[in-house]
Amino acid sequence: MTSYLAALAATCGLLLPALSLAQTPAIAHGAVATEAAKPAVAPEAAHEKLSPSMRPLSPPVPVYHPPRRLPQQAVHYAKPAAKRQQHAAPARQPAMAPSLRAAAALGKRLLPPAAHAGKSPRLAVLACADGAPRHGAQGGLYLVQNPGNQLLLGEAGVSHAVRQLRTPLLLVLASADCKAVNTARGDFSALPLAEQATLLSINVDKGGTPLSAQLDNLDNQVEAAVLLYGGEVEAGRLSVIGAYYDAAGQLGKRGQLVVTSINGERDKATIARLLRQRAVFNAATGIGTPLAGVGH
């Protein structure tokens, strides 16, 4: 028995060191496994290292920077089309009446551009129109309009053209459609007082024809203009011409302008000669100075 226990003790003494050596790698391997099993800890952000008082209210937002393109890789964008400037269309002038077109043609024939040199309006026209008197430039003319083409009503505009603008030609224009002259032939006592005052200065025969009334009023206005601007007429700076626009062919010149007087001269043969020679200045005195010798 004693020998058996001794043998068992000897055997245990031999096994314990071997057993301890065999368990050491396992323990070491277990330690390594334990370290590997631990989850990886993310590095602490930079803003978390700051003290609580220095930390921003929200974490920084990452900014994305796109990769730079080479010149040959650059995207070409189409330039927006330039907006077309919208210019306001010029105001269109009202169409000129046929009588005024005929008057403008007469002015160009009597006073060509080479003789006039465009220093002032070539022609001032005193014409008939309904409504309030008015004056101003229109289509190269200086137009003065009032009921009955009266110098009394249009003196301000005519004087501006003759004495301020130095217009060399003054045309008193009559036509069959002048309502004021046609009304002045009859009884107009039922009209408003303002219209009656306008018609009272038109001196025509009450029993005459419409054509004779228009021609009589035309002669009266030409005589008044020659008297008022006698200094300019005598000096050769102005010619006062009376003309009737024959729209209906009453004088045998349908659609044409018929000159009835030049500076008070009413003889048809003399008027035809002066117009042919373009010698309308100083015609009342018999001088008939051609336009080429007149300075304006």
Side-chain angles (χ1 to χ4, degrees), residues 187-261:
D187 182 14
F188 50 84
S189 59
L191 297 178
L193 294 179
E195 295 185 20
Q196 292 185 36
T198 301
L199 298 176
L200 284 173
S201 55
I202 301 178
N203 186 16
V204 294
D205 187 4
K206 296 293 184 180
T209 63
L211 177 59
S212 63
Q214 298 288 350
L215 295 178
D216 289 344
N217 179 65
L218 176 61
D219 292 338
N220 294 337
Q221 304 307 323
V222 171
E223 290 179 2
V226 172
L227 290 175
L228 181 60
Y229 307 111
E232 287 81 358
V233 173
E234 293 293 334
R237 295 195 302 266
L238 177 68
S239 179
V240 181
I241 301 173
Y244 179 83
Y245 181 70
D246 193 11
Q250 296 169 306
L251 299 180
K253 301 290 185 180
R254 180 183 294 272
Q256 299 182 28
L257 203 62
V258 180
V259 177
T260 60
S261 64

Side-chain angles (χ1 to χ4, degrees), residues 12 68 71 81 181 183 201 228 230 244 249 258 262:
C12 291
R68 298 182 62 183
V181 177
T183 304
S201 55
L228 181 60
Y244 179 83
V258 180
I262 299 177

Side-chain angles (χ1 to χ4, degrees), residues 8-76:
L8 181 60
T11 303
C12 291
L14 294 173
L15 292 173
L16 287 175
L19 183 59
S20 61
L21 293 174
Q23 290 179 351
T24 299
I27 295 173
H29 179 73
V32 173
T34 303
E35 291 294 333
K38 291 183 179 181
V41 179
E44 189 176 6
H47 70 278
E48 294 180 356
K49 297 180 180 180
L50 301 175
S51 62
S53 60
M54 298 294 291
R55 292 180 183 179
L57 297 178
S58 60
V61 179
V63 180
Y64 173 73
H65 297 282
R68 298 182 62 183
R69 298 176 182 267
L70 297 177
Q72 61 271 21
Q73 297 176 339
V75 179
H76 298 281

Side-chain angles (χ1 to χ4, degrees), residues 67-155:
R68 298 182 62 183
R69 298 176 182 267
L70 297 177
Q72 61 271 21
Q73 297 176 339
V75 179
H76 298 281
Y77 295 96
K79 294 183 179 180
K83 293 184 178 180
R84 183 175 299 176
Q85 296 182 356
Q86 297 180 355
H87 298 284
R92 299 181 61 181
Q93 295 185 354
M96 189 177 295
S99 59
L100 295 180
R101 290 200 299 268
L106 177 64
K108 290 182 180 179
R109 182 161 63 92
L110 296 179
L111 196 62
H116 180 55
K119 297 177 182 178
S120 63
R122 177 185 291 107
L123 181 66
V125 180
L126 177 59
C128 178
D130 297 330
R134 53 189 179 272
H135 58 86
Q138 179 178 345
L141 307 176
Y142 193 88
L143 183 60
V144 182
Q145 293 178 301
N146 59 62
N149 47 274
Q150 302 181 63
L151 182 63
L152 181 63
L153 300 180
E155 181 178 349

